[in-house]
């Protein structure tokens, strides 16, 4: 997906709009109220035209989505499908509230799913899923979790991201990838190269929370950290896993020296360019998503690298092998003109093995059903297989749904940045303040 860098900016706008009641188009047919196709008989579904909004924008991605939809068009030739590319979450929300919703919409982020489900911006798919006899157990639990909220399933998973460790084999010099944070620390120190003045020339691993994919959501599953209590309030300050991880991170930052590490970080190439420091041999190990494999093939094909799960907390070795996952979601917005035809497309794209394999092979994200993960036509070399295994691992998880997901992540991220800079003198008090900010926001949201 490669879209995390868009998430906070777009979600902030969408969250503001979602705090108000969703308007939608009055009088629009409800999902499940129209004729239903029976078995494989396409003629059971009447002729209709549906508009589909999606976030894919590059020529290759747009073609991939077109190719995935082609199978649906062949199955239902009486359904005209109009695809609109490059759409973001705030545009979807505003269109629904303005009574101009598309029939189908997808999003690259899961951060707005809770609000969309709660507000009714997206229609509840539960009745038609039951009506059509879809067995949701074919979808891994983590993906089921990030596509619903409070018992209301308003989206389905399309493709997924999984996060793991990339390592430069030449810089590793025969070392095996670490499996625990202690091993990561030891190897980081061993692989780091400095000049005579102590400036960093090559970093074994960059622990900074200001570096690329090093955000709290991506680390949480491998350290067993909790985000929320059962009542939805923040568990960050009371969970010892977060404290242990933050202390581990700060010790490694201090070993580098914050100023030297920050100077080195700022000298590096951009994450989304051919100058990525991992390509250039400036960083030996990085946390990243499965899409990086495709980017390396396009931008640094000579790079000799390997992939592995990200190291687990020392006291929770059973978590090794899992990781963080999220992904593209798709659903039927409120006010869709042809909701039954829209649902058939959503069902097709999210449960048809060939459609998922076609899309996965083109954009190099993980498909989201067990059958598609095992499909013989799925392209998977050893480095991509790592992420399929991580995605399917029973300990892989996602951030639990919350109506304030983006705010909560930003609040914690801000604190983590202050922590690594040495601005936080009392860890417990600082985390308690993060809890307060999150809980105060929850109260304002009616939680």
């Amino acid at each position: 997906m490669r879209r995390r860098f868009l998430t906070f900016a777009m979600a902030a706008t969408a969250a503001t709009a979602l705090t108000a009641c969703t308007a939608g188009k009055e009088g629009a047919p409800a999902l499940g109220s129209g004729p239903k196709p029976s078995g494989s008989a396409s003629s059971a579904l009447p002729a209709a035209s549906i508009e589909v909004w999606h976030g894919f924008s590059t020529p290759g991605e747009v073609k991939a989505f077109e190719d995935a939809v082609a199978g649906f068009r062949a199955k239902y030739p009486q359904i005209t499908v109009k695809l609109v590319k490059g759409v973001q979450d705030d545009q979807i929300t505003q269109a629904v509230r303005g009574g101009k919703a598309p029939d189908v919409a997808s999003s690259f982020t899961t951060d707005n799913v809770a609000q969309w489900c709660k507000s009714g911006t997206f229609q509840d798919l539960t009745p038609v899923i039951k009506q059509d006899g879809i067995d949701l157990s074919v979808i891994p639990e983590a993906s089921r979790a990030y596509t619903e909220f409070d018992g209301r399933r308003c989206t389905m998973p399309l493709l997924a991201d999984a996060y793991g460790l990339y390592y430069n084999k030449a810089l590793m010099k025969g070392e095996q990838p670490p499996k625990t944070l202690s091993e990561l620390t030891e190897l980081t120190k061993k692989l780091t190269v400095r000049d005579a003045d102590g400036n960093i020339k090559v970093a074994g691993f960059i622990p900074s929370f200001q570096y690329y994919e090093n955000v709290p959501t991506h680390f949480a599953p491998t350290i067993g950290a909790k985000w929320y209590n059962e009542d939805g309030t923040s568990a960050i300050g009371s969970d010892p896993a977060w404290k242990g991880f933050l202390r581990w991170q700060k010790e490694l930052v201090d070993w580098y020296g914050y100023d030297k590490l920050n100077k080195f970080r700022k000298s590096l190439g951009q994450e989304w360019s051919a100058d990525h420091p991992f390509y250039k041999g400036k960083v030996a190990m990085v946390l990243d998503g499965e899409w990086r494999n495709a980017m390396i093939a396009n931008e640094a094909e000579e790079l000799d690298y390997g992939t592995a799960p990200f190291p687990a907390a020392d006291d929770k070795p059973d978590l090794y092998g899992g990781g963080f996952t999220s992904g593209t979601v798709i659903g039927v917005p409120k006010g869709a003109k042809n909701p039954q035809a829209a649902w058939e497309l959503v069902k097709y794209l999210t449960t048809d093995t060939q459609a998922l394999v076609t899309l996965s092979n083109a954009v190099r994200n993980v498909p989201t059903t067990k059958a598609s993960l095992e499909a013989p036509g799925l392209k998977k070399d050893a480095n991509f297989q790592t992420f399929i295994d991580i995605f399917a691992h029973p300990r892989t998880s996602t951030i639990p749904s919350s109506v304030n997901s983006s705010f909560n992540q930003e609040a914690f991220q801000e604190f983590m940045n202050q922590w690594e800079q040495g601005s936080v003198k009392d860890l417990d008090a600082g985390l308690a303040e993060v809890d307060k900010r999150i809980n105060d926001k929850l109260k304002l949201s009616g939680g």
Side-chain angles (χ1 to χ4, degrees):
M1 250 74 67
R2 313 192 309 276
R3 300 304 196 285
R4 183 191 62 78
F5 66 101
L6 290 173
T7 299
F8 286 156
M10 304 313 299
T13 303
T16 300
L18 284 164
T19 56
C21 294
T22 301
K25 185 175 181 180
E26 297 300 329
L31 182 60
S33 63
K36 293 86 177 173
S38 175
S40 61
S42 64
S43 60
L45 196 64
S49 178
I50 57 176
E51 185 168 299
V52 181
W53 289 8
H54 64 86
F56 296 111
S57 57
T58 67
E61 293 173 336
V62 172
K63 182 181 183 302
F65 197 69
E66 286 272 6
D67 291 345
V69 173
F72 178 82
R73 287 179 168 136
K75 184 177 182 180
Y76 296 109
Q78 74 275 29
I79 305 299
T80 300
V81 182
K82 177 184 177 182
L83 301 180
V84 179
K85 65 180 181 179
V87 179
Q88 303 296 336
D89 286 14
D90 61 336
Q91 295 171 276
I92 298 169
T93 301
Q94 291 165 11
V96 174
R97 295 186 70 232
K100 299 179 180 180
D103 296 283
V104 176
S106 71
S107 169
F108 286 127
T109 173
T110 62
D111 290 335
N112 290 318
V113 169
Q115 272 284 16
W116 281 340
C117 288
K118 180 180 179 180
S119 66
T121 299
F122 276 55
Q123 298 186 45
D124 189 0
L125 303 176
T126 305
V128 286
I129 288 173
K130 183 177 181 180
Q131 166 189 288
D132 290 358
I134 296 174
D135 180 8
L136 291 178
S137 68
V138 302
I139 300 170
E141 183 179 354
S143 289
R144 298 201 304 270
Y146 66 63
T147 47
E148 65 178 352
F149 177 70
D150 200 21
R152 182 182 175 94
R153 171 167 296 285
C154 67
T155 62
M156 289 282 283
L158 185 53
L159 291 179
D161 288 327
Y163 286 76
L165 186 75
Y166 286 74
Y167 57 93
N168 183 311
K169 290 184 178 180
L171 296 179
M172 293 283 279
K173 298 178 181 178
E175 295 284 352
Q176 294 302 303
K179 293 185 177 181
T180 66
L181 292 182
S182 291
E183 290 178 2
L184 177 58
T185 296
E186 181 180 355
L187 193 53
T188 295
K189 293 179 179 179
K190 187 173 184 178
L191 301 180
T192 295
V193 178
R194 302 178 189 255
D195 65 17
D197 296 322
N199 295 309
I200 304 166
K201 296 177 65 178
V202 176
F205 174 79
I206 296 179
S208 172
F209 293 133
Q210 301 173 70
Y211 180 69
Y212 301 161
E213 301 295 327
N214 291 3
V215 295
T217 49
H218 298 167
F219 290 116
T222 55
I223 61 173
K226 288 176 56 178
W227 280 88
Y228 307 115
N229 298 308
E230 290 186 4
D231 61 358
T233 56
S234 178
I236 292 171
S238 59
D239 186 358
W242 283 121
K243 296 177 185 177
F245 176 69
L246 287 167
R247 292 189 178 107
W248 166 83
Q249 185 263 355
K250 187 65 166 63
E251 287 177 3
L252 193 51
V253 168
D254 289 346
W255 176 81
Y256 275 112
Y258 175 77
D259 290 341
K260 292 187 182 298
L261 183 62
N262 202 40
K263 177 183 177 182
F264 178 71
R265 179 182 64 81
K266 289 181 177 180
S267 73
L268 300 174
Q270 295 298 310
E271 181 178 10
W272 311 109
S273 76
D275 291 326
H276 191 291
F278 183 68
Y279 305 166
K280 301 298 183 181
K282 302 294 288 184
V283 183
M285 299 176 287
V286 295
L287 169 67
D288 217 333
E290 82 296 329
W291 65 77
R292 184 61 61 185
N293 287 290
M295 298 185 78
I296 290 173
N298 291 331
E299 299 168 347
E301 61 179 347
E302 300 302 321
L303 180 65
D304 187 14
Y305 74 101
T307 59
F310 194 78
D314 287 64
D315 61 343
K316 298 174 182 175
D318 60 308
L319 296 180
Y320 184 75
F324 174 78
T325 186
S326 64
T328 297
V329 298
I330 188 168
V332 181
K334 180 180 179 180
K337 302 179 192 67
N338 293 292
Q340 189 59 40
W343 160 243
E344 291 300 327
L345 177 59
V346 169
K347 179 173 68 173
Y348 176 81
L349 289 174
T350 59
T351 63
D352 184 88
T353 298
Q354 188 54 52
L356 286 166
V357 169
T358 296
L359 198 53
S360 173
N361 284 344
V363 301
R364 305 310 287 143
N365 296 145
V366 179
T368 45
T369 65
K370 294 176 182 178
S372 60
L373 289 169
E374 299 169 358
L378 183 65
K379 297 177 182 177
K380 45 185 179 180
D381 59 20
N383 285 329
F384 192 74
Q385 182 66 50
T386 296
F387 295 92
I388 292 176
D389 294 341
I390 291 171
F391 178 70
H393 196 279
R395 301 308 294 271
T396 287
S397 62
T398 190
I399 181 171
S401 296
S402 169
V403 292
N404 298 317
S405 183
S406 293
F407 174 86
N408 298 346
Q409 293 174 65
E410 288 174 349
F412 195 19
Q413 183 75 45
E414 289 172 9
F415 171 80
M416 294 171 94
N417 293 347
Q418 295 170 356
W419 165 254
E420 73 175 43
Q421 294 169 20
S423 301
V424 178
K425 304 306 179 185
D426 187 328
L427 180 57
D428 288 326
L431 290 175
E433 181 58 30
V434 172
D435 284 345
K436 184 178 185 303
R437 287 188 64 191
I438 291 174
N439 294 338
D440 286 349
K441 180 68 172 177
L442 182 63
K443 291 176 182 177
L444 288 174
S445 303

